[in-house]
Amino acid sequence: MTFFSIIVPTYNRAHMIRRTLDSVLNQSFKDFELIVVDDGSTDNTEEIVASYNSPQILYFKKENEERGIARNFGLEKAQGRYVNFFDSDDVMYPHHLEKAFENLEALSSPKVLCFPFDYLDSEGKLTGTKTGFDGDITTKVLESNFIHLNGAFIARDILDSDLKFCEDRKFTVSEDWYFFVRISMKHSILGIQESTSGYYIHEGSTMSSISSEEYQVAYGYFESLFSEQAYRNPKAVRKVKSEFYSMTALALALENKPMQAIRFLVNSFFQEPETIFRKRTLGVIKNLFYAERRG
């Protein structure tokens, strides 16, 4: 059995996917398959992938159905003991798989092991590193969206019909968090505080153009979980509500809807008063101020 299956969904990323593929093929640990799921690209993605002529790359092209379905499609093709989902605009460092293998073996094959990731600007310069990955992070997952799929290694045998990615095309933000919350309700999630991959922030990043409506769709999915045993801790529920209220407030401020933005921001403070100290709150206030001046 192959040890790792790297699943890369992609859509019209021919101009940057080489960077991702190169980073996977350059791994010091070689026991892996690389599954590229082309979600209906209209550019020359297929040509770029074919140019590698590598037996480790498995390429599949399907009709466009969005990321969740593409990831589940790749999962159906995966033969590895562990799966690692990777975006087509990010990179793994050369020791990414080696470090994962070493720690999975040392920790007696946990079902889920997560590493942090670096934030990189469009030129690949380090701008920050995600923290909070020490030890058992199962409870943390219920409260905060801090795991990025690039750094998560998940045992293939736990990803069945009940634990897959949501396939609702309207659910386009925080769907990864929702995925890990559902995993955490059945399995422990362990973390290692050592960055092994990079997350590129660029103009085409998903996070750069999210609407308030998309945040509210996402919140609806989380709200449906609040009756579950894992969410019977009021603190966790308040944190999730505060997170979504503040994200929605920022989106509304950017959409020039000041009264709605203020209402969601106040609701965020009500759930978790320390929200007032977040950078996002400053972003809401700044955008409301500029909207007022423009008005």
Side-chain angles (χ1 to χ4, degrees), residues 142 225-237:
L142 296 172
L225 297 177
F226 289 161
S227 61
E228 299 285 342
Q229 179 68 38
Y231 264 126
R232 291 185 184 168
N233 178 349
K235 177 186 173 185
V237 173

Side-chain angles (χ1 to χ4, degrees), residues 1 21 28 40 45 49 53 60 62 99 107 110 143 163 176 190 236 265:
M1 179 183 288
L21 299 182
S28 56
T45 294
V49 177
N53 194 29
F60 301 94
K62 55 183 286 301
K99 285 296 180 182
L107 294 169
E143 301 178 356
L163 278 180
D176 295 351
L190 303 184
L265 191 61

Side-chain angles (χ1 to χ4, degrees), residues 28-64:
S28 56
F29 185 89
K30 300 298 185 182
D31 188 8
F32 67 87
E33 62 180 2
L34 172 53
I35 300 171
V36 179
V37 182
D38 187 338
D39 195 33
S41 295
T42 56
D43 61 9
N44 63 326
T45 294
E46 183 172 2
E47 179 184 336
I48 296 296
V49 177
S51 70
Y52 282 85
N53 194 29
S54 169
Q56 286 181 287
I57 298 180
L58 305 175
Y59 174 83
F60 301 94
K61 187 164 186 175
K62 55 183 286 301
E63 65 177 313
N64 179 258

Side-chain angles (χ1 to χ4, degrees), residues 78-138:
Q79 298 296 314
R81 183 177 169 189
Y82 282 87
V83 295
N84 180 210
F85 295 92
F86 230 76
D87 288 338
S88 58
D89 54 353
D90 298 328
V91 295
M92 54 177 69
Y93 302 152
H95 64 290
H96 179 70
L97 297 183
E98 182 179 358
K99 285 296 180 182
F101 177 78
E102 290 174 356
N103 282 281
L104 287 167
E105 293 288 292
L107 294 169
S108 302
S109 304
K111 294 300 184 183
V112 189
L113 181 66
C114 296
F115 293 80
F117 56 90
D118 291 333
Y119 290 104
L120 306 172
D121 66 17
S122 58
E123 297 179 352
K125 295 179 181 178
L126 179 67
T127 62
T129 301
K130 203 71 174 175
T131 59
F133 287 78
D134 296 312
D136 192 328
I137 57 176
T138 312

